[in-house]
Amino acid sequence: MNRGSKVLLALAAGTLAVSSLIACSGKGDEVNLYSSRNESLIKPLLDEFTAETGIRVNLLTGSGSGLLSRIQSEGSNTPADLFLTVDAGSLHRAKQANLFQPIHTQVLEGAVPDHLRDSERHWYGLSMRARPVFYAKERVNPEEITDYLSLADEQWRGRICVRSSDNIYNQSMVAAMIAHYGEAVTEEWARGLVANFARNPVGGDRDQIHAVASGQCDIAIANTYYFGGMSLSDDATNQNTVSKVAIAWPAQNSNGTHVNVSGIGLIKSARNPENAIKLMNFLARESSQSWYAEANSEYPVNPNAQWSEVLQSWGNFKADEISMSELGENNAAAVRLMDRAGWR
């Protein structure tokens, strides 16, 4: 098969997926969900929702940025009723693109704390991920990791691993620091952090944690759910890393450890809004939230939901309660600041 034929087949497959959703939309027993979450991390919950309500969920997965662009290009004809993605910055971009409509339900208002949802209720957090510091047990005293600002100290010169500045998780972390400390202090910190890099940023969060275990660096900044997945893995490399690395919770005496959310919003042109809101309520309830914790080592946003054994094993910590809306609002400033600091 030549390259042109492959392209045509790919386009046809994409058109078929959208056509199938369009054909399904408008029926009273269905809802269409665009999700940047891996199918295995959402499909079991959707199946449970269908079993309980009789409402079938038509799921389309892809990258967050890709799905956002798709909804924009589809315009008011999009079959999407809901958009689920990770990171408050990505959710803010969808809101800024005027894709969401605000909603208020007793379930969502009661289950999702105020700072973990959009200030105007255009989207709600569904799971929370912390971004602490991972350290080599044999080489680092965790008491030296007091807060994020301390990571710019000279004692960490050539000892820190973190992924690149184009990563939305890092952008949101810097956005939070801008909210707490202002741009001038945050830029000075970012320059100090860059000076302390053990290597040029490369790879994802798991790669940073593995680099600590292998001795390429002594500490790394990464999201906890990656470490949770490694802890539950049977892979020998993962188990070796987990045995050598531990978590330090920064800023416990000040703002708290930086956290972010995955979240969901109702599309403004949704054709099945009642079913969509039912699904949002379902995903925010305690049992669904506990499933998130078990399946992907993410912290529930619902304070009444139970933590998994892995999460419990890491202990309690003080989380930053900055409004997730501010992470998106400060994103552009954070990206410019990171560029000026030489964080590539």
Side-chain angles (χ1 to χ4, degrees):
M1 182 182 295
N2 60 38
R3 184 176 182 273
S5 298
K6 291 180 179 179
V7 171
L8 288 174
L9 282 176
L11 290 172
T15 301
L16 179 60
V18 174
S19 298
S20 297
L21 283 177
I22 292 174
C24 291
S25 64
K27 295 183 179 180
D29 59 349
E30 297 186 337
V31 62
N32 301 319
L33 172 65
Y34 281 19
S35 171
S36 69
R37 303 222 62 154
N38 185 288
E39 183 172 340
S40 65
L41 297 178
I42 189 66
K43 189 65 163 59
L45 278 178
L46 302 181
D47 290 342
E48 183 179 342
F49 172 76
T50 298
E52 286 190 13
T53 65
I55 300 171
R56 189 172 76 181
V57 182
N58 302 306
L59 176 66
L60 181 66
T61 59
S63 70
S65 59
L67 291 174
L68 176 59
S69 296
R70 186 167 190 160
I71 296 171
Q72 289 178 290
S73 65
E74 291 169 345
S76 60
N77 292 320
T78 181
D81 296 307
L82 293 166
F83 178 42
L84 191 161
T85 191
V86 296
D87 193 274
S90 298
L91 290 160
H92 180 74
R93 291 173 188 172
K95 177 186 175 181
Q96 290 298 100
N98 202 30
L99 298 184
F100 292 146
Q101 57 178 297
I103 66 166
H104 301 262
T105 74
Q106 288 186 341
V107 173
L108 290 171
E109 297 282 348
V112 184
D114 190 68
H115 67 286
L116 299 179
R117 59 196 182 204
D118 175 59
S119 58
E120 298 176 323
R121 308 302 189 262
H122 284 253
W123 55 261
Y124 289 79
L126 290 180
S127 62
M128 187 173 68
R129 56 275 304 276
R131 195 163 184 77
V133 175
F134 293 82
Y135 67 92
K137 294 178 182 178
E138 295 183 353
R139 302 189 301 275
V140 174
N141 178 358
E143 294 182 1
E144 297 177 297
I145 306 169
T146 56
D147 56 25
Y148 294 97
L149 291 175
S150 70
L151 300 182
D153 294 347
E154 287 190 8
Q155 68 168 319
W156 301 114
R157 190 61 49 87
R159 301 174 68 189
I160 297 177
C161 283
V162 66
R163 64 198 295 177
S164 70
S165 62
D166 63 5
N167 172 250
I168 189 68
Y169 303 148
N170 284 335
Q171 292 172 10
S172 289
M173 180 179 68
V174 173
M177 295 193 68
I178 290 174
H180 287 308
Y181 305 111
E183 286 196 44
V185 171
T186 302
E187 183 169 342
E188 182 181 0
W189 166 81
R191 292 182 184 277
L193 183 73
V194 170
N196 289 342
F197 285 175
R199 61 179 187 182
N200 291 329
V202 60
D205 278 9
R206 292 185 188 87
D207 298 302
Q208 315 312 315
I209 300 171
H210 282 308
V212 172
S214 66
Q216 296 179 58
C217 46
D218 290 336
I219 62 175
I221 304 171
N223 282 355
T224 46
Y225 69 93
Y226 291 108
F227 194 61
M230 295 161 68
S231 300
L232 294 171
S233 170
D234 293 329
D235 179 77
T237 300
N238 286 335
Q239 288 302 309
N240 177 64
T241 291
V242 170
S243 70
K244 295 180 178 179
V245 176
I247 300 174
W249 302 104
Q252 293 303 282
N253 295 321
S254 55
N255 301 317
T257 298
H258 173 67
V259 297
N260 209 319
V261 293
S262 70
I264 194 167
L266 177 65
I267 299 299
K268 180 170 289 188
S269 58
R271 304 179 189 186
N272 304 287
E274 292 184 5
N275 291 344
I277 292 172
K278 288 179 181 178
L279 179 55
M280 293 177 74
N281 287 339
F282 173 87
L283 293 174
R285 75 182 191 182
E286 291 178 34
S287 59
S288 299
Q289 291 284 298
S290 295
W291 186 88
Y292 275 123
E294 291 288 348
N296 201 39
S297 299
E298 294 186 61
Y299 291 93
V301 296
N302 188 326
N304 296 319
Q306 185 174 350
W307 289 13
S308 67
E309 289 186 9
V310 169
L311 297 181
Q312 292 179 45
S313 72
W314 298 336
N316 293 320
F317 68 98
K318 177 184 177 182
D320 189 357
E321 293 190 354
I322 185 175
S323 170
M324 293 292 102
S325 295
E326 290 195 59
L327 305 188
E329 292 165 2
N330 290 339
N331 179 266
V335 172
R336 292 192 298 267
L337 185 154
M338 296 165 86
D339 285 344
R340 293 195 301 269
W343 189 338
R344 301 291 184 252

